[in-house]
Amino acid sequence: MSDWQRTHTCGELRESHIGQTVTLNGWVNTYRSYNNQVFVDLRDRYGVTQVVFESEDAELQKLANSVGREFVLSVTGAVAARLKGKENAKLATGAVELKASAAKVLNACPTPPFEITEFGNELANEDIRLQYRYLDLRRKTLQDTMILRHRLCKTIRDTLDAQGFLEVETPLLGKSSPEGARDYLVPSRVYHGEWFALPQSPQLYKQLLMVAGYDKYFQIARCLRDEDLRADRQPEFTQLDMEMSFIEMEDIFRVIENLSKAIFKDCLDIDIPTPFRRMGYDEAMLKYGSDKPDLRYALEIVDVGAVAAKSEFKVFKDVLASGGVIRGLCAKGAADKFSNSDLKPGGKLSEHVGRYGAKGLAWMKVEGDKLTGSIEKFFPAAVQQELRQVMNAESGDVLLFVADKESVVCDALGALRIHLASLLKLYDPDAKVFNILWVVDFPSFMYDAEDKRWVANHHPFTAPRDEDIPHLDTDPGKVKAKAYDLVMNGYEVGGGSIRIHSPVVQSKAFQVLGMDEETAKSRFGFLLDALKFGAPPHGGIALGIDRWVMMLAGTTNIRDVIAFPKNAKSRDLMTGAPAGVDNRQLKDLGLK
RNA sequence: GGGGACGUAGCUCAAUUGGUUAGAGCACCGGCCUGUCACGCCGGAGGUUGCGGGUUCGACCCCCGUCGUCCUCGCCA
């Protein structure tokens, strides 16, 4: 061992080490200097230890005075108890300090472009932190998140291994399929004009593994989708991809609930209750305007169509006459929180619903036993009474309504519900509260009015509920799928389905989607062939690892849980990718 | 592709709403300090106000364009 190499980490020393001579390696976290006395807080990923330079050795003191923040040091010395009353309770190592007797600058560091400490939560702008990601990753919060992510993946591997699951890798270079998200494409050098596609998920491969008899499969797999980003979406992200044979939905639920229990226990030492609540898609859309409802707070949407029909309000009556719906939210005690100008057209609440295609936000306030507001006059007293009753409204509440076609009402009120919950502080975003549920009974197909065709809601291999199979021929809109989403605090953190393993049902599904035999064959021929060769009943699920870490770490930014993320415009600000390439490379690929 | 917010010192933010020398905290540099720990005190340096144009006697501020960052709608089977 070289004389500068560490014997302990910076998070390790305790009173039991007092008297030992040790060597620490680490970065200068902070630095406090006097004439002949220098305190350095030395940091590594295990913690921080205070080093004291107060030696008779002039060379050593000179070295100590010459270092700056983020210098990399090796320090050797005796572990000593701190002076009485000078212990630092904020440090795990705070009972002791290292009295330096020798030190070596392993590397110097220029003044960093931003401060790496987190005091006051005054972080530098994200773009500069992404540009110097390796510096930002030195922050304790990010290091803790990466450790959490590691723990999550380890728990997954251990738990699934113990249950007999096999981790199998599937190709990154595959075939493009026109369904779903936009593919990232990779040109073939050998076959000019032909392209690989990077996987949006290992979906097809995992089904092939079932055909091959690997009846309990999982993979922590990178997935790539060339779509626009969001705070919780990256072009490359990680899924726990799973598939099982000879199972039904209940088996998937049980495996995932037990896995979730293990994850919360190992990562946060929290016992979460199982089984998870289940909610039908229809109920989720009706009450929460979303297929991923945040149930940390109630604030349910109420359908008031029957009451509104008794009013004289032309806007409402017209919407009902044209087959639309009228639904509303009752914002408890919000009357004095929203001024009339907040509520009027162009105000901050109505603007919020406008984004989702709602033409307006109708409102009334409850004052004592009366309703007030510009549309109050269209509601006879008895109807007002009824409205208050169905919306469970009391004095001081604000009633908010959107009238439109159902999809617009769901989107608008679903978004307004989330917005109100945040404004009215209906939940504590920082509390370690986890509301988890299964959303089930998704429609198999959604009608695309523009293209005048049915499209698969999940994917074309999702099995219909057994009792709905007859509807495939007659009324595809009625068919519910054996599909399920796992929802946590309003985020979709998983989703999957039981797959079709019957060629007859599969070809009916393709028929509904308007895909003829030939098209289906050219797109998924290898899978359809495989399914013929003795495919077992099978199904699976994928959990969004990044979003799980977000939830566990308490962040809403996916970039906080990925070591080297892209920015919101899909650029890597550190490497500069994507970037141009040499003409030579293009020539090899037949692109020039 | 659309909408919104933002862009001022290395970093985080001010600048009395168009007024003359653009400030503060942190960081940095120098000095003082023998128990600090987000050390403290004194001093210093640091600016083409993202970039380009326009309006004006005068622009960080208003207008147009452009670039960048974040959020969002579309998109994400």
Side-chain angles (χ1 to χ4, degrees):
Chain A
M1 194 165 77
S2 301
D3 61 352
W4 58 266
Q5 284 185 290
R6 65 184 172 192
T7 58
H8 296 75
T9 71
C10 295
E12 199 173 345
L13 299 178
R14 298 289 184 276
E15 283 174 295
S16 60
H17 295 92
I18 289 171
Q20 291 183 29
T21 295
V22 304
T23 300
L24 299 182
N25 296 165
W27 287 261
V28 175
N29 198 46
T30 55
Y31 178 93
R32 300 173 289 280
S33 95
Y34 294 78
N35 284 356
N36 201 27
Q37 190 174 39
V38 175
F39 296 94
V40 168
D41 285 349
L42 204 63
R43 181 198 70 231
D44 61 18
R45 77 175 167 93
Y46 307 92
V48 170
T49 302
Q50 172 165 286
V51 178
V52 192
F53 292 87
E54 50 184 1
S55 164
E56 302 295 312
D57 181 346
E59 281 300 307
L60 181 58
Q61 290 306 104
K62 196 176 156 199
L63 180 148
N65 273 302
S66 73
V67 305
R69 282 166 193 260
E70 303 305 322
F71 272 49
V72 189
L73 300 186
S74 167
V75 184
T76 301
V79 181
R82 293 215 186 179
L83 298 184
K84 262 215 155 29
K86 299 295 180 184
E87 300 86 359
N88 187 345
K90 283 182 274 185
L91 293 181
T93 61
V96 299
E97 61 194 4
L98 184 64
K99 303 271 193 195
S101 56
K104 184 181 168 76
V105 174
L106 300 177
N107 222 334
C109 182
T111 304
F114 55 89
E115 289 168 56
I116 292 166
T117 59
E118 293 181 272
F119 287 104
N121 286 325
E122 266 196 3
L123 291 180
N125 275 332
E126 211 181 353
D127 50 346
I128 191 153
R129 289 188 288 119
L130 286 173
Q131 188 188 339
Y132 297 92
R133 184 64 168 179
Y134 41 86
L135 296 182
D136 203 29
L137 283 166
R138 290 181 185 172
R139 269 168 49 220
K140 179 160 171 46
T141 305
L142 272 178
Q143 294 198 337
D144 286 347
T145 304
M146 293 306 136
I147 292 166
L148 177 70
R149 187 173 180 131
H150 162 81
R151 184 133 319 281
L152 172 80
C153 289
K154 172 147 172 53
T155 299
I156 287 170
R157 289 199 163 98
D158 290 350
T159 305
L160 295 181
D161 173 70
Q163 293 172 38
F165 281 83
L166 288 176
E167 183 164 18
V168 181
E169 290 178 279
T170 55
L172 285 178
L173 297 173
K175 188 177 176 224
S176 173
S177 86
E179 303 275 324
R182 197 175 292 112
D183 285 318
Y184 276 101
L185 296 174
V186 178
S188 162
R189 178 185 56 81
V190 183
Y191 305 101
H192 286 181
E194 298 187 310
W195 303 74
F196 293 107
L198 301 176
Q200 299 171 21
S201 78
Q203 179 62 41
L204 301 179
Y205 293 108
K206 68 175 171 179
Q207 291 193 243
L208 297 171
L209 285 170
M210 293 305 108
V211 177
Y214 295 70
D215 61 347
K216 291 178 181 176
Y217 145 89
F218 81 100
Q219 179 181 193
I220 295 180
R222 197 67 59 84
C223 305
L224 300 107
R225 297 179 188 175
D226 188 5
E227 297 291 349
D228 285 347
L229 274 45
R230 288 287 184 283
D232 63 345
R233 275 178 10 202
Q234 280 274 300
E236 51 180 314
F237 59 100
T238 305
Q239 287 187 341
L240 165 61
D241 192 50
M242 298 174 67
E243 195 80 4
M244 288 175 270
S245 294
F246 312 117
I247 49 98
E248 266 294 0
M249 290 207 295
E250 294 299 327
D251 302 289
I252 305 261
F253 293 165
R254 203 187 60 246
V255 167
I256 295 300
E257 283 162 359
N258 288 337
L259 178 60
S260 302
K261 229 180 188 11
I263 289 169
F264 274 95
K265 190 66 187 171
D266 287 359
C267 296
L268 299 182
D269 198 23
I270 288 178
D271 292 296
I272 54 162
T274 53
F276 301 148
R277 176 177 177 178
R278 297 179 200 177
M279 183 183 293
Y281 171 87
D282 291 341
E283 183 186 351
M285 295 306 290
L286 180 69
K287 288 189 182 168
Y288 307 100
S290 168
D291 61 359
K292 43 179 201 283
D294 189 345
L295 301 186
R296 282 176 297 176
Y297 46 90
L299 192 60
E300 288 181 13
I301 295 168
V302 181
D303 192 297
V304 297
V307 185
K310 298 175 197 165
S311 78
E312 309 297 326
F313 191 32
K314 189 165 183 306
V315 173
F316 281 6
K317 302 200 88 143
D318 287 352
V319 164
L320 287 173
S322 63
V325 303
I326 300 159
R327 291 175 190 165
L329 285 165
C330 175
K332 286 279 162 204
D336 55 354
K337 295 208 174 66
F338 298 121
S339 67
N340 289 7
S341 68
D342 289 337
L343 296 160
K344 74 181 182 195
K348 44 187 185 189
L349 285 188
S350 94
E351 195 185 12
H352 202 78
V353 298
R355 263 181 261 165
Y356 302 86
K359 287 180 275 297
L361 181 68
W363 61 274
M364 284 187 272
K365 286 184 176 177
V366 190
E367 289 180 17
D369 54 1
K370 292 195 308 193
L371 296 180
T372 63
S374 57
I375 66 168
E376 175 271 338
K377 58 180 176 284
F378 300 115
F379 289 76
V383 181
Q384 289 192 13
Q385 195 55 41
E386 198 181 338
L387 189 61
R388 291 181 51 166
Q389 202 168 0
V390 299
M391 298 194 75
N392 192 24
E394 301 164 311
S395 184
D397 296 351
V398 178
L399 308 180
L400 300 153
F401 306 97
V402 173
D404 214 302
K405 63 178 182 183
E406 188 170 11
S407 62
V408 169
V409 171
C410 287
D411 286 351
L413 284 179
L416 183 61
R417 175 177 178 269
I418 295 168
H419 190 55
L420 286 174
S422 160
L423 287 177
L424 301 173
K425 298 188 169 46
L426 299 185
Y427 67 100
D428 175 1
D430 298 322
K432 292 273 178 205
V433 170
F434 301 94
N435 192 297
I436 311 174
L437 73 151
W438 293 106
V439 175
V440 297
D441 295 339
F442 284 83
S444 285
F445 310 99
M446 297 288 220
Y447 193 68
D448 184 332
E450 253 177 56
D451 291 359
K452 295 199 166 87
R453 66 185 185 103
W454 293 96
V455 294
N457 200 5
H458 189 61
H459 62 65
F461 314 110
T462 303
R465 295 194 305 195
D466 299 333
E467 63 268 37
D468 292 334
I469 288 176
H471 299 311
L472 280 174
D473 298 316
T474 55
D475 188 357
K478 247 189 174 169
V479 178
K480 296 278 211 286
K482 289 184 183 173
Y484 30 83
D485 277 358
L486 189 64
V487 176
M488 192 187 302
N489 293 0
Y491 284 82
E492 182 193 327
V493 294
S497 65
I498 302 297
R499 329 297 181 188
I500 298 171
H501 67 281
S502 146
V504 180
V505 176
Q506 186 65 67
S507 89
K508 278 188 198 239
F510 283 141
Q511 267 171 38
V512 172
L513 297 171
M515 219 185 286
D516 58 40
E517 203 79 5
E518 209 160 301
T519 312
K521 213 167 180 174
S522 75
R523 290 182 189 175
F524 312 110
F526 59 98
L527 178 66
L528 299 178
D529 281 346
L531 292 175
K532 284 183 209 152
F533 284 102
H538 63 287
I541 191 167
L543 303 189
I545 295 292
D546 313 277
R547 286 185 189 162
W548 267 81
V549 182
M550 284 169 64
M551 298 290 106
L552 298 175
T555 177
T556 54
N557 180 348
I558 195 170
R559 294 180 295 276
D560 288 346
V561 303
I562 295 175
F564 298 101
K566 308 285 188 288
N567 75 356
K569 284 276 182 291
S570 291
R571 186 175 285 287
D572 180 338
L573 293 177
M574 186 180 64
T575 66
V581 296
D582 290 347
N583 279 338
R584 172 68 188 271
Q585 287 173 285
L586 292 175
K587 217 171 145 192
D588 280 351
L589 294 166
L591 295 174
K592 187 135 190 165

